[in-house]
Amino acid sequence: EALHVFIRRGYHKTTFAEIARRCSIGRTTIYQYFKNKDEIFMYAVEHINQVFEEEYRSIVDDSGLDVLEKIKKIFSKFLLRCSKKNNEISLLLELALILKRDNHELLEQVNKSLELQELFCSLLEEGVRLKQIKPLHNMESMAFTLETFMDSLMLYLPFTEPGEMAGHLQNLHLIIDGLRA
């Protein structure tokens, strides 16, 4: 709930009172759990990271999927979340833009929460090891490329018509299938 307030008011103008009102609790109650606004912000970002990690971990741990199917499923899940109005990913993206504008030191934490490059890199390494995908000259570069595709679609989503996402996902799947060994 605090992220909604941070986005609406901006990080610097957000107050404990506004966060408390959004959460339907008293301002003094928040002070029992958090010392300051930075702690609330970091808790919210860490919570969202934890939710994402659990979702992606369940995909990565699914032994019924090969590596490319896992990558596709991660893309699909991520973009489905992005296409929902006021979801956590959109909130984090908006907040990152606000923090970037304000040159705030917490920007790094928001950016970290949006990164999937490390996950893609480990999946690519596993795919090469299992001979499910072609050997790659530079795993980190390909992982960066996959994350950039995802970021680009995430930024494009607000401008798409309903039903266009399926076509975009099919195109992404074609690109990902190009890695198959």
Side-chain angles (χ1 to χ4, degrees):
E1 292 300 317
L3 289 176
H4 291 277
V5 179
F6 286 127
I7 288 166
R8 191 180 79 249
R9 298 276 301 147
Y11 183 83
H12 297 294
K13 292 180 183 176
T14 294
T15 65
F16 263 60
E18 291 168 310
I19 293 170
R21 198 170 20 257
R22 175 80 188 212
C23 296
S24 301
I25 59 175
R27 186 176 53 88
T28 54
T29 303
I30 291 180
Y31 280 109
Q32 293 175 6
Y33 300 97
F34 301 100
K35 285 188 285 188
N36 55 39
K37 190 168 50 174
D38 286 356
E39 275 192 10
I40 293 173
F41 174 79
M42 292 310 304
Y43 179 82
V45 169
E46 287 169 8
H47 172 72
I48 290 170
N49 282 341
Q50 183 180 6
V51 169
F52 293 159
E53 286 177 25
E54 288 170 8
E55 285 181 358
Y56 299 139
R57 182 62 38 211
S58 70
I59 294 169
V60 169
D61 292 342
D62 186 342
S63 60
L65 300 173
D66 72 17
V67 169
L68 293 178
E69 290 168 334
K70 290 176 183 182
I71 292 172
K72 288 178 192 179
K73 195 165 184 177
I74 290 169
F75 265 86
S76 298
K77 187 160 240 359
F78 186 86
L79 292 173
L80 179 64
R81 275 185 164 273
C82 289
S83 66
K84 293 180 181 171
K85 190 175 179 182
N86 288 331
N87 71 80
E88 298 91 351
I89 296 170
S90 296
L91 293 174
L92 285 175
L93 180 61
E94 288 180 54
L95 190 53
L97 293 172
I98 291 166
L99 293 173
K100 175 97 174 139
R101 181 195 67 209
D102 295 346
N103 199 22
H104 199 280
E105 65 271 5
L106 292 175
L107 177 62
E108 185 177 324
Q109 291 299 323
V110 174
N111 284 340
K112 185 177 184 294
S113 69
L114 296 172
E115 288 182 11
L116 288 170
Q117 188 172 346
E118 195 172 297
L119 176 63
F120 286 141
C121 196
S122 65
L123 284 170
L124 292 169
E125 288 170 353
E126 178 184 346
V128 168
R129 191 179 70 254
L130 296 173
K131 298 185 183 340
Q132 294 176 0
I133 66 171
K134 300 173 189 174
L136 298 170
H137 174 68
N138 186 330
M139 296 285 179
E140 291 82 16
S141 177
M142 180 54 75
F144 174 79
T145 300
L146 290 172
E147 183 184 29
T148 302
F149 280 140
M150 193 176 274
D151 291 346
S152 297
L153 270 178
M154 180 176 59
L155 292 171
Y156 179 71
L157 276 176
F159 307 104
T160 61
E161 294 296 323
E164 285 183 33
M165 182 50 58
H168 296 309
L169 272 173
Q170 284 178 336
N171 291 334
L172 270 173
H173 289 185
L174 286 173
I175 292 168
I176 294 167
D177 282 335
L179 295 170
R180 192 168 304 279

